[in-house]
Amino acid sequence: MKYVIIGGVAGGMSAATRLRRLNEEAEIIVLERGPYVSFANCGLPYFIGGVIKERSKLLVQTAEKLYQRFRLDVRTKSEVTRIDREQKKVIIDHNGKSYEETYDVLILSTGARPMRPPIEGIDQADHLFTLRDVPDAEHIVQYLQQHKVDHAVIIGAGFIGIEMAENLAEHGLKVTIVEREHQVLPPLDPEMAIVVEAELKKHGIEVLKGKTVTGFDENGSILVLDDGMRKKTDLTLLSVGVVPESSLAEQAGLALGIRRSISVNDHLQTSDSNIYAIGDAIEVAQTVGGRPAVIPLASPANRQGRMVADILSGMKRSYKGTLGTSIVKAFDLSAAVTGLSEKLLQRFNIPYEALHTSPPDHASYYPGSAQMTLKLLFDPESGKVLGAQAVGKKGVDKTIDVLATAIHGQMTVNDLTELELAYAPPFNSAKAPVNLIGYASANLLDGNVQNVQWNEVDQLVKQGEMLIDVRTEQEYGNGTIQGAVNIPLDDLRERLSEIPKIRDLIVTCQVGLRGYLAARILAQNGYSVKNLDGGYKLYSSVFPEIVK
Amino acid sequence: MKQRIIIVGGVAGGASVATRLRRLSEDNEIVMYEKGTYISFANCGLPYYVGGTILEKDALLVESVENMVKEFNIEVHNNREVVNVDPEKHIITVKNVLNGEAATDHYDRLILSTGAKPIVPKIQGLDQADNVFSVRNIPDVERIKNYIDAHIVHKAAVIGGGFIGLEMTENLADLGLEVTLVEASPQVMAPLDFEMAQFAHEQIELHGVQLILNDGVARFSDNGKTVVLSSGKEIDTDLTVMAIGVLPDSTLAQKVGVKTGIKGAIVVNEHFETNVPDIFAIGDVIEVKDFITGTPTLIPLAGPANRQGRFLADYLNGLDAKNPPVQGTAVAKVFALTVATTGKNERLLNQAGIAYQVVHLHPNSHAGYYPGAAPIELKVIYGEHGKILGAQAIGTEGVDKRIDMISAVMRLNGSVEDLQLIEVAYAPPYASAKDPINYAGYIAADQRQGLVKTIEWHEVDALIEKQAYFLDVRESFELAAGKLPGSHHIPRGELRGRMAELPKEQPIYVYCSVGLRGYNAARILALNGFEVYNLDGGLKTYEQAKYETGQMKTQPHLAAQSGSDSTTAQQAPQCTKIEVDACGLQCPGPILKVKQSMEKMNKGDILQVQASDFGFHKDIVAWANATGNQLLTNDIVGNKVVATLVKGVKASHDDAAHTLQAAPDTGGATTMVVFDGDLDKAIATFIIATGSAAMGKPVTLFFTFWGLNIIKRHANTKISKSGTDKLFSMMLPKSADHLPLSRMNMGGIGPKMIKKVMADKNVDSLAVMIERAKQLGVKMVACTMSMDLMGVAREEIIDGVEFGGVASYLGEAAKSNVNLFI
């Protein structure tokens, strides 16, 4: 059997090594366009920032080692220019010379390339970079070494944009991020992303939201924004997203899916039964909701690589879909997401309930604990978990990983309450953040409490609902939501007579817990009451300017 | 209907049930009786209060009495002990602990949340000892703190190596005390299996604690100043903590006819109902259902207690809630290590007669190339249909996260297949693209499908005794840090070419350091028809299981003596000091980094290396001994091992020069012109080259004409060539694997023979010699002019070769005192 794999990073190399472990006799050829195979592309921003000091650390394998260990015929600087499906062969360009290689099975692991929008002047722009592979990173490092670079502009505040902002700032550069949407980190919902934005600003990064770059002026040293602003830059990184690298597949007439990704069935097989495809180039089904999507992440790519080798070796496997769990470090914060966001649930018209909590990552009496902001999205009927997001200094990865596991297991919020998570004071609380948000969600599901969201409360107050801040007088004095009256929780039972029964009530506290307690007291006393989800903390982080 | 609900015990479960009851109903009267002064305190934080990590006592008070009253409208009676119950009349008798006054109260529902109490066995001399303490509540730890403040305390003994015992050990050690930990069983932390507990044993000893296993307390003498063990051993102590376990505190329950089971634990149904109407029980005092076996068991943990409190409140308010079976997920900090477990271990599965399989692995906590990565020692146990039965993990980072995920998979009866599919949040600071739990799933799934057969660490010794064929597939230099006695050695990279050496008639037991290369080798051999087994967890698991307690010198922070007889080269001021970070390195890991760094150094230079794998602490001792380098220090600093070495006087480049006798360093350089491309000449070239390089001489090999064939790459790189170039290409050997012999070539039979002889005599193959020469810094230059003449493209030449003309040769030759033409 002769396997030819196009693309020698992540998925491609996982497929190749696994194929060898399962078939000692097969001929396995890996064709990689670039000079390196199997490099750690997720480490590139940290290499640029100097956190990873040796370039060699990024190079996970070399062609030589892969031959020695796995008898893989790995050919770098070998770009496939055409697939001949009739003859089952590929045409390869190596240093300007062209030759052919036949295949029995072809695996496309062509990845995704940075998007390059047709902005005026983009082709004349100097010191404009994208970041996809080791040579890209080397270009940036060289440029930083050889030029006086004071100010960098990053276009696009996605994961790579944020990581690059941090690394360039750590390098001593003044960094500006320009983002088209009205928030950073578009995979997150806005009230979660705002916490990250604050962290970026705290570290001196200028964040320009809701703005697009419309032109590159003076050979790219001036960026022109849609509001007319002109931004000087010594180094510009374009990180507005990636597109599936599917031109080979398209030329070969393979079926394509959304955003020109390569269509595959659950055996990762394309419309040609001898051609398989994996990684960032393919269309996958979202685990939650099953809709088609392009989810360019390293873990799924690796998993698909291994799975395609299993399938080709006769094992029973099928690729069910991608959850899309991801995480980014932004200075001292971590921000992570799994499943669907509220934005996507709305776009897909999927009914949901949202809930925010602010638990400490571990017992607050043990030193070093830090509060995180945690958001859970679940089905209002069945309670099934649909998605989750977390932002904080500690425990974010663990919390989201456990919730990703829960979604994988199709758990409901009630199941979350039963999860038995490892507890000792340095690591967790006896009621872990995941348990607590499960409890709070179960309360919503059971109708023990009704919630109102951060973006609904102002409108409701305007409509005449009474907003009661149940925090202490001192907390209230330090700032509250406009229109709120103060009745501390401890006094609530005694002061019920002050609250008119005819009005609909909203209660709020700092993070939502005391509000919930107040809501329970009021509800049991015959009031119609809602609790402000996430409390004053969440509200004031989104609207810092309109709190009193 | 308004009810009066009385709760006995105001901590964990009791506090949870009280507050939840109130949140669900404003009407009911909720009454709490607590015999202590404090309610709802953080008992899991108690050891850290003793150690001073938690400074304020108030920090331990989760809910104050005042808060319970004001925020939750709960009637709280602290310092009140419920001494009797009249179930018929629904009346309790209460004693005021402070003044002894008795009172009664009426209940509609009674909830017992009386917890568990430390076991204090009747030991001779205990009554005369005023320095023996247990740790259950705030007054207990205050007594310990007061005792330390008021007395001169240098030495402490902790009896019992469970979670509390270990936490107390660490905290007392943190206070600067000399601590002895005594455990009656062969290991600490019963939820771990022995080989995993060995990591904890080493960690405890690395931090200067004296660890005594398999020994119990026979008596106290000298008013508690001496602990006499069953073995007769005596321990001097100024302060002793008894932490040999807890028992359900069910005195009250038993008194009033509530049915009890294991160790006196209260028997409840899934709704927490006891056999007595209107009496319920939750928390450490009850029997729970084991998640795996379905049988009753005791699992005194805070998490389940809190959950039970909440679920009981739900049930009493008509909500659907049942006591879920308990997995027993637990975690503890043991100095720099985190130790976590969930589900059942091997010992308990054997007892229960449940069949299982295990996998051991040692993956990095996050991407190895991002700073701070450290190994996680992970063990996953699975049963029929791949269902996960338990997991254990130990490491400095990311341990709790992995156990939590596995615990969640178990909750829905998930299998090892699920572990493969969990999509973990990945960015280099947090995880790897293939997370440790994915890896565990992959390995286990391969086992299940029969892709690889494994043996466990505890099967090794018997196999060695039976003279089984063990095959070590690590690189040569790794052997210096230890190997299995009598094992054979073929580095994995050479395996395909040397299979003829292996016996077909008997099973082959393959191993490497952590199991990964062993697995790859096992696949190669299995696909070639051998009966092969891989050692699960590799040498690391086996060697850790063999760890011997009590062998470490009493001052582990100080340098271990390297047994080398090198002169005591102290830090001479002119020495260069090189610092190396070997954290998060993939196997073969830190030792390779040390070796490579040492090679670049001069005699007497000092290397400081830090590693995040604690196994490095003993590996470096063995390596230094074997290679004649001197180990100056070998310390535990935070969660890292920091060692310094002096490059020894007789330091050899381990086995690199094993084909040559070591010769005195005569200075000068070696240059060779390699003209011929015959296999025998090539071998001679590289023997001389590696030999001289091993003696510290700079070596340059200048490849020209037919000699270029030696350094062609293996992969049949297809390069379009024209005319004569193409012709040459077809006629010339493709790579070092295809070289002819200068004599007795016999149409290619000769080279095959010599390769077999080399393999039989355990001489490295040419490819390995070339690789080693590169590692030793042998400079290889390909002559560009002859490349042109022979039609050899640069792409055809192996990596690491420079290109140059005659000038570069002459330049090197001028510096050399050995100059050969081959």
PDB file of all heavy atoms in Angstrom, chain A residues 5 10-23 28 30 38 61 66 69-70 72 305-306 309, chain B residues 434 519-520:
ATOM      1  N   ILE A   5       0.897  11.646   1.774  1.00  0.00           N
ATOM      2  CA  ILE A   5       0.268  12.620   2.662  1.00  0.00           C
ATOM      3  C   ILE A   5       0.751  14.005   2.268  1.00  0.00           C
ATOM      4  O   ILE A   5       1.964  14.242   2.197  1.00  0.00           O
ATOM      5  CB  ILE A   5       0.622  12.325   4.133  1.00  0.00           C
ATOM      6  CG1 ILE A   5       0.108  10.924   4.503  1.00  0.00           C
ATOM      7  CG2 ILE A   5       0.034  13.389   5.053  1.00  0.00           C
ATOM      8  CD1 ILE A   5       0.631  10.422   5.832  1.00  0.00           C
ATOM      9  N   ALA A  10       1.123  18.724  12.340  1.00  0.00           N
ATOM     10  CA  ALA A  10      -0.048  18.310  13.131  1.00  0.00           C
ATOM     11  C   ALA A  10      -0.705  17.060  12.553  1.00  0.00           C
ATOM     12  O   ALA A  10      -0.169  15.966  12.652  1.00  0.00           O
ATOM     13  CB  ALA A  10      -1.039  19.451  13.283  1.00  0.00           C
ATOM     14  N   GLY A  11      -1.878  17.221  11.908  1.00  0.00           N
ATOM     15  CA  GLY A  11      -2.651  16.082  11.431  1.00  0.00           C
ATOM     16  C   GLY A  11      -1.879  15.179  10.493  1.00  0.00           C
ATOM     17  O   GLY A  11      -1.900  13.955  10.628  1.00  0.00           O
ATOM     18  N   GLY A  12      -1.150  15.763   9.557  1.00  0.00           N
ATOM     19  CA  GLY A  12      -0.422  14.978   8.566  1.00  0.00           C
ATOM     20  C   GLY A  12       0.597  14.066   9.220  1.00  0.00           C
ATOM     21  O   GLY A  12       0.697  12.878   8.902  1.00  0.00           O
ATOM     22  N   MET A  13       1.342  14.609  10.178  1.00  0.00           N
ATOM     23  CA  MET A  13       2.372  13.800  10.805  1.00  0.00           C
ATOM     24  C   MET A  13       1.768  12.782  11.762  1.00  0.00           C
ATOM     25  O   MET A  13       2.264  11.675  11.884  1.00  0.00           O
ATOM     26  CB  MET A  13       3.363  14.726  11.520  1.00  0.00           C
ATOM     27  CG  MET A  13       4.744  14.153  11.602  1.00  0.00           C
ATOM     28  SD  MET A  13       5.295  13.313  10.101  1.00  0.00           S
ATOM     29  CE  MET A  13       5.838  14.689   9.127  1.00  0.00           C
ATOM     30  N   SER A  14       0.669  13.142  12.429  1.00  0.00           N
ATOM     31  CA  SER A  14      -0.017  12.161  13.276  1.00  0.00           C
ATOM     32  C   SER A  14      -0.466  10.975  12.439  1.00  0.00           C
ATOM     33  O   SER A  14      -0.322   9.820  12.836  1.00  0.00           O
ATOM     34  CB  SER A  14      -1.260  12.773  13.939  1.00  0.00           C
ATOM     35  OG  SER A  14      -0.889  13.685  14.916  1.00  0.00           O
ATOM     36  N   ALA A  15      -1.027  11.264  11.262  1.00  0.00           N
ATOM     37  CA  ALA A  15      -1.501  10.201  10.383  1.00  0.00           C
ATOM     38  C   ALA A  15      -0.331   9.323   9.943  1.00  0.00           C
ATOM     39  O   ALA A  15      -0.414   8.098   9.978  1.00  0.00           O
ATOM     40  CB  ALA A  15      -2.209  10.802   9.185  1.00  0.00           C
ATOM     41  N   ALA A  16       0.776   9.959   9.561  1.00  0.00           N
ATOM     42  CA  ALA A  16       1.911   9.209   9.022  1.00  0.00           C
ATOM     43  C   ALA A  16       2.497   8.265  10.068  1.00  0.00           C
ATOM     44  O   ALA A  16       2.706   7.080   9.803  1.00  0.00           O
ATOM     45  CB  ALA A  16       2.982  10.179   8.526  1.00  0.00           C
ATOM     46  N   THR A  17       2.754   8.777  11.270  1.00  0.00           N
ATOM     47  CA  THR A  17       3.394   7.933  12.283  1.00  0.00           C
ATOM     48  C   THR A  17       2.453   6.813  12.734  1.00  0.00           C
ATOM     49  O   THR A  17       2.864   5.684  12.924  1.00  0.00           O
ATOM     50  CB  THR A  17       3.840   8.761  13.502  1.00  0.00           C
ATOM     51  OG1 THR A  17       2.736   9.537  13.959  1.00  0.00           O
ATOM     52  CG2 THR A  17       4.969   9.708  13.124  1.00  0.00           C
ATOM     53  N   ARG A  18       1.191   7.145  12.862  1.00  0.00           N
ATOM     54  CA  ARG A  18       0.235   6.120  13.263  1.00  0.00           C
ATOM     55  C   ARG A  18       0.099   5.055  12.170  1.00  0.00           C
ATOM     56  O   ARG A  18       0.012   3.864  12.463  1.00  0.00           O
ATOM     57  CB  ARG A  18      -1.116   6.775  13.566  1.00  0.00           C
ATOM     58  CG  ARG A  18      -2.246   5.826  13.916  1.00  0.00           C
ATOM     59  CD  ARG A  18      -2.085   5.205  15.300  1.00  0.00           C
ATOM     60  NE  ARG A  18      -3.270   4.448  15.683  1.00  0.00           N
ATOM     61  CZ  ARG A  18      -3.312   3.626  16.724  1.00  0.00           C
ATOM     62  NH1 ARG A  18      -2.251   3.482  17.491  1.00  0.00           N
ATOM     63  NH2 ARG A  18      -4.414   2.968  17.029  1.00  0.00           N
ATOM     64  N   LEU A  19       0.098   5.471  10.927  1.00  0.00           N
ATOM     65  CA  LEU A  19       0.039   4.501   9.829  1.00  0.00           C
ATOM     66  C   LEU A  19       1.205   3.535   9.919  1.00  0.00           C
ATOM     67  O   LEU A  19       1.052   2.332   9.741  1.00  0.00           O
ATOM     68  CB  LEU A  19       0.078   5.233   8.483  1.00  0.00           C
ATOM     69  CG  LEU A  19      -1.260   5.676   7.884  1.00  0.00           C
ATOM     70  CD1 LEU A  19      -1.010   6.512   6.632  1.00  0.00           C
ATOM     71  CD2 LEU A  19      -2.158   4.480   7.568  1.00  0.00           C
ATOM     72  N   ARG A  20       2.386   4.086  10.199  1.00  0.00           N
ATOM     73  CA  ARG A  20       3.548   3.207  10.287  1.00  0.00           C
ATOM     74  C   ARG A  20       3.430   2.245  11.459  1.00  0.00           C
ATOM     75  O   ARG A  20       3.744   1.069  11.345  1.00  0.00           O
ATOM     76  CB  ARG A  20       4.844   4.037  10.413  1.00  0.00           C
ATOM     77  CG  ARG A  20       6.081   3.224  10.700  1.00  0.00           C
ATOM     78  CD  ARG A  20       6.380   2.155   9.636  1.00  0.00           C
ATOM     79  NE  ARG A  20       6.901   2.736   8.425  1.00  0.00           N
ATOM     80  CZ  ARG A  20       6.491   2.411   7.186  1.00  0.00           C
ATOM     81  NH1 ARG A  20       5.571   1.482   7.001  1.00  0.00           N
ATOM     82  NH2 ARG A  20       7.000   3.008   6.124  1.00  0.00           N
ATOM     83  N   ARG A  21       2.975   2.738  12.579  1.00  0.00           N
ATOM     84  CA  ARG A  21       2.867   1.841  13.734  1.00  0.00           C
ATOM     85  C   ARG A  21       1.888   0.706  13.459  1.00  0.00           C
ATOM     86  O   ARG A  21       1.987  -0.363  14.032  1.00  0.00           O
ATOM     87  CB  ARG A  21       2.436   2.617  14.976  1.00  0.00           C
ATOM     88  CG  ARG A  21       3.535   3.511  15.529  1.00  0.00           C
ATOM     89  CD  ARG A  21       3.229   3.974  16.936  1.00  0.00           C
ATOM     90  NE  ARG A  21       2.108   4.882  17.000  1.00  0.00           N
ATOM     91  CZ  ARG A  21       2.209   6.200  16.915  1.00  0.00           C
ATOM     92  NH1 ARG A  21       3.385   6.764  16.780  1.00  0.00           N
ATOM     93  NH2 ARG A  21       1.144   6.958  16.986  1.00  0.00           N
ATOM     94  N   LEU A  22       0.913   0.977  12.582  1.00  0.00           N
ATOM     95  CA  LEU A  22      -0.075  -0.054  12.292  1.00  0.00           C
ATOM     96  C   LEU A  22       0.310  -0.906  11.091  1.00  0.00           C
ATOM     97  O   LEU A  22      -0.211  -1.992  10.919  1.00  0.00           O
ATOM     98  CB  LEU A  22      -1.450   0.596  12.058  1.00  0.00           C
ATOM     99  CG  LEU A  22      -2.032   1.332  13.266  1.00  0.00           C
ATOM    100  CD1 LEU A  22      -3.312   2.052  12.895  1.00  0.00           C
ATOM    101  CD2 LEU A  22      -2.285   0.374  14.416  1.00  0.00           C
ATOM    102  N   ASN A  23       1.164  -0.386  10.201  1.00  0.00           N
ATOM    103  CA  ASN A  23       1.535  -1.128   8.997  1.00  0.00           C
ATOM    104  C   ASN A  23       3.029  -0.963   8.751  1.00  0.00           C
ATOM    105  O   ASN A  23       3.474   0.072   8.294  1.00  0.00           O
ATOM    106  CB  ASN A  23       0.808  -0.582   7.749  1.00  0.00           C
ATOM    107  CG  ASN A  23      -0.651  -0.277   8.032  1.00  0.00           C
ATOM    108  OD1 ASN A  23      -1.489  -1.133   7.873  1.00  0.00           O
ATOM    109  ND2 ASN A  23      -0.924   0.935   8.475  1.00  0.00           N
ATOM    110  N   ILE A  28       5.092   5.087   2.892  1.00  0.00           N
ATOM    111  CA  ILE A  28       4.451   6.305   3.388  1.00  0.00           C
ATOM    112  C   ILE A  28       5.309   7.510   3.008  1.00  0.00           C
ATOM    113  O   ILE A  28       6.462   7.616   3.431  1.00  0.00           O
ATOM    114  CB  ILE A  28       4.263   6.256   4.920  1.00  0.00           C
ATOM    115  CG1 ILE A  28       3.459   5.016   5.319  1.00  0.00           C
ATOM    116  CG2 ILE A  28       3.563   7.522   5.409  1.00  0.00           C
ATOM    117  CD1 ILE A  28       3.479   4.716   6.808  1.00  0.00           C
ATOM    118  N   VAL A  30       5.517  11.660   2.905  1.00  0.00           N
ATOM    119  CA  VAL A  30       4.946  12.916   3.390  1.00  0.00           C
ATOM    120  C   VAL A  30       5.558  14.056   2.594  1.00  0.00           C
ATOM    121  O   VAL A  30       6.781  14.200   2.538  1.00  0.00           O
ATOM    122  CB  VAL A  30       5.226  13.124   4.894  1.00  0.00           C
ATOM    123  CG1 VAL A  30       4.595  14.423   5.373  1.00  0.00           C
ATOM    124  CG2 VAL A  30       4.704  11.952   5.705  1.00  0.00           C
ATOM    125  N   SER A  38       6.359  18.848  11.135  1.00  0.00           N
ATOM    126  CA  SER A  38       6.005  18.578  12.523  1.00  0.00           C
ATOM    127  C   SER A  38       6.524  19.638  13.482  1.00  0.00           C
ATOM    128  O   SER A  38       7.138  19.335  14.486  1.00  0.00           O
ATOM    129  CB  SER A  38       6.588  17.208  12.914  1.00  0.00           C
ATOM    130  OG  SER A  38       6.028  16.773  14.119  1.00  0.00           O
ATOM    131  N   GLN A  61      10.137  17.271  15.190  1.00  0.00           N
ATOM    132  CA  GLN A  61      10.782  16.163  14.504  1.00  0.00           C
ATOM    133  C   GLN A  61      11.541  16.685  13.287  1.00  0.00           C
ATOM    134  O   GLN A  61      11.197  17.728  12.747  1.00  0.00           O
ATOM    135  CB  GLN A  61       9.738  15.158  14.003  1.00  0.00           C
ATOM    136  CG  GLN A  61       9.080  14.336  15.079  1.00  0.00           C
ATOM    137  CD  GLN A  61       9.992  13.286  15.669  1.00  0.00           C
ATOM    138  OE1 GLN A  61      11.164  13.183  15.327  1.00  0.00           O
ATOM    139  NE2 GLN A  61       9.459  12.505  16.599  1.00  0.00           N
ATOM    140  N   LEU A  66      12.512  11.110  11.516  1.00  0.00           N
ATOM    141  CA  LEU A  66      11.279  10.425  11.140  1.00  0.00           C
ATOM    142  C   LEU A  66      11.572   9.219  10.268  1.00  0.00           C
ATOM    143  O   LEU A  66      10.844   8.233  10.290  1.00  0.00           O
ATOM    144  CB  LEU A  66      10.337  11.402  10.421  1.00  0.00           C
ATOM    145  CG  LEU A  66       9.693  12.417  11.355  1.00  0.00           C
ATOM    146  CD1 LEU A  66       9.103  13.573  10.572  1.00  0.00           C
ATOM    147  CD2 LEU A  66       8.612  11.748  12.199  1.00  0.00           C
ATOM    148  N   ARG A  69      13.149   6.581  12.832  1.00  0.00           N
ATOM    149  CA  ARG A  69      12.197   5.990  13.758  1.00  0.00           C
ATOM    150  C   ARG A  69      11.042   5.294  13.060  1.00  0.00           C
ATOM    151  O   ARG A  69      10.570   4.265  13.504  1.00  0.00           O
ATOM    152  CB  ARG A  69      11.595   7.066  14.655  1.00  0.00           C
ATOM    153  CG  ARG A  69      12.516   7.504  15.727  1.00  0.00           C
ATOM    154  CD  ARG A  69      11.711   8.099  16.843  1.00  0.00           C
ATOM    155  NE  ARG A  69      12.585   8.359  17.956  1.00  0.00           N
ATOM    156  CZ  ARG A  69      12.193   8.986  19.061  1.00  0.00           C
ATOM    157  NH1 ARG A  69      10.951   9.391  19.156  1.00  0.00           N
ATOM    158  NH2 ARG A  69      13.018   9.192  20.047  1.00  0.00           N
ATOM    159  N   PHE A  70      10.543   5.926  12.034  1.00  0.00           N
ATOM    160  CA  PHE A  70       9.278   5.450  11.475  1.00  0.00           C
ATOM    161  C   PHE A  70       9.394   5.034  10.012  1.00  0.00           C
ATOM    162  O   PHE A  70       8.401   4.705   9.404  1.00  0.00           O
ATOM    163  CB  PHE A  70       8.209   6.546  11.603  1.00  0.00           C
ATOM    164  CG  PHE A  70       7.859   6.875  13.020  1.00  0.00           C
ATOM    165  CD1 PHE A  70       8.356   8.010  13.638  1.00  0.00           C
ATOM    166  CD2 PHE A  70       7.028   6.027  13.744  1.00  0.00           C
ATOM    167  CE1 PHE A  70       8.040   8.302  14.953  1.00  0.00           C
ATOM    168  CE2 PHE A  70       6.706   6.321  15.053  1.00  0.00           C
ATOM    169  CZ  PHE A  70       7.211   7.456  15.663  1.00  0.00           C
ATOM    170  N   LEU A  72       9.640   6.851   7.551  1.00  0.00           N
ATOM    171  CA  LEU A  72       8.780   7.727   6.775  1.00  0.00           C
ATOM    172  C   LEU A  72       9.631   8.444   5.748  1.00  0.00           C
ATOM    173  O   LEU A  72      10.718   8.920   6.064  1.00  0.00           O
ATOM    174  CB  LEU A  72       8.092   8.761   7.677  1.00  0.00           C
ATOM    175  CG  LEU A  72       7.147   8.225   8.739  1.00  0.00           C
ATOM    176  CD1 LEU A  72       6.587   9.381   9.568  1.00  0.00           C
ATOM    177  CD2 LEU A  72       6.006   7.447   8.110  1.00  0.00           C
ATOM    178  N   GLY A 305      -5.874  13.015  12.437  1.00  0.00           N
ATOM    179  CA  GLY A 305      -4.740  12.343  11.812  1.00  0.00           C
ATOM    180  C   GLY A 305      -4.628  10.909  12.291  1.00  0.00           C
ATOM    181  O   GLY A 305      -4.468   9.975  11.507  1.00  0.00           O
ATOM    182  N   ARG A 306      -4.744  10.748  13.592  1.00  0.00           N
ATOM    183  CA  ARG A 306      -4.657   9.410  14.139  1.00  0.00           C
ATOM    184  C   ARG A 306      -5.827   8.559  13.660  1.00  0.00           C
ATOM    185  O   ARG A 306      -5.682   7.392  13.312  1.00  0.00           O
ATOM    186  CB  ARG A 306      -4.652   9.497  15.663  1.00  0.00           C
ATOM    187  CG  ARG A 306      -4.462   8.181  16.342  1.00  0.00           C
ATOM    188  CD  ARG A 306      -4.483   8.367  17.846  1.00  0.00           C
ATOM    189  NE  ARG A 306      -4.506   7.074  18.518  1.00  0.00           N
ATOM    190  CZ  ARG A 306      -3.413   6.473  18.974  1.00  0.00           C
ATOM    191  NH1 ARG A 306      -2.242   7.035  18.850  1.00  0.00           N
ATOM    192  NH2 ARG A 306      -3.507   5.303  19.571  1.00  0.00           N
ATOM    193  N   ALA A 309      -5.647   7.223  10.094  1.00  0.00           N
ATOM    194  CA  ALA A 309      -4.740   6.077  10.006  1.00  0.00           C
ATOM    195  C   ALA A 309      -5.430   4.817  10.503  1.00  0.00           C
ATOM    196  O   ALA A 309      -5.295   3.739   9.915  1.00  0.00           O
ATOM    197  CB  ALA A 309      -3.477   6.350  10.821  1.00  0.00           C
TER     198      ALA A 309
ATOM    199  N   LYS B 434      -2.061  16.742  22.036  1.00  0.00           N
ATOM    200  CA  LYS B 434      -2.582  15.476  22.551  1.00  0.00           C
ATOM    201  C   LYS B 434      -2.415  15.532  24.060  1.00  0.00           C
ATOM    202  O   LYS B 434      -1.303  15.401  24.572  1.00  0.00           O
ATOM    203  CB  LYS B 434      -1.805  14.296  21.976  1.00  0.00           C
ATOM    204  CG  LYS B 434      -2.119  14.043  20.509  1.00  0.00           C
ATOM    205  CD  LYS B 434      -1.224  12.951  19.941  1.00  0.00           C
ATOM    206  CE  LYS B 434      -1.441  12.840  18.441  1.00  0.00           C
ATOM    207  NZ  LYS B 434      -0.263  12.326  17.743  1.00  0.00           N
ATOM    208  N   TYR B 519       6.758   0.974  22.921  1.00  0.00           N
ATOM    209  CA  TYR B 519       5.540   0.669  22.171  1.00  0.00           C
ATOM    210  C   TYR B 519       5.826   0.657  20.682  1.00  0.00           C
ATOM    211  O   TYR B 519       5.426  -0.262  19.954  1.00  0.00           O
ATOM    212  CB  TYR B 519       4.455   1.691  22.509  1.00  0.00           C
ATOM    213  CG  TYR B 519       3.303   1.677  21.545  1.00  0.00           C
ATOM    214  CD1 TYR B 519       2.459   0.572  21.462  1.00  0.00           C
ATOM    215  CD2 TYR B 519       3.066   2.765  20.712  1.00  0.00           C
ATOM    216  CE1 TYR B 519       1.411   0.553  20.564  1.00  0.00           C
ATOM    217  CE2 TYR B 519       2.022   2.753  19.810  1.00  0.00           C
ATOM    218  CZ  TYR B 519       1.192   1.647  19.730  1.00  0.00           C
ATOM    219  OH  TYR B 519       0.159   1.626  18.841  1.00  0.00           O
ATOM    220  N   ASN B 520       6.544   1.670  20.216  1.00  0.00           N
ATOM    221  CA  ASN B 520       6.875   1.722  18.795  1.00  0.00           C
ATOM    222  C   ASN B 520       7.692   0.499  18.385  1.00  0.00           C
ATOM    223  O   ASN B 520       7.446  -0.101  17.342  1.00  0.00           O
ATOM    224  CB  ASN B 520       7.641   3.008  18.469  1.00  0.00           C
ATOM    225  CG  ASN B 520       6.735   4.221  18.463  1.00  0.00           C
ATOM    226  OD1 ASN B 520       5.613   4.147  17.978  1.00  0.00           O
ATOM    227  ND2 ASN B 520       7.203   5.323  19.011  1.00  0.00           N
TER     228      ASN B 520
END
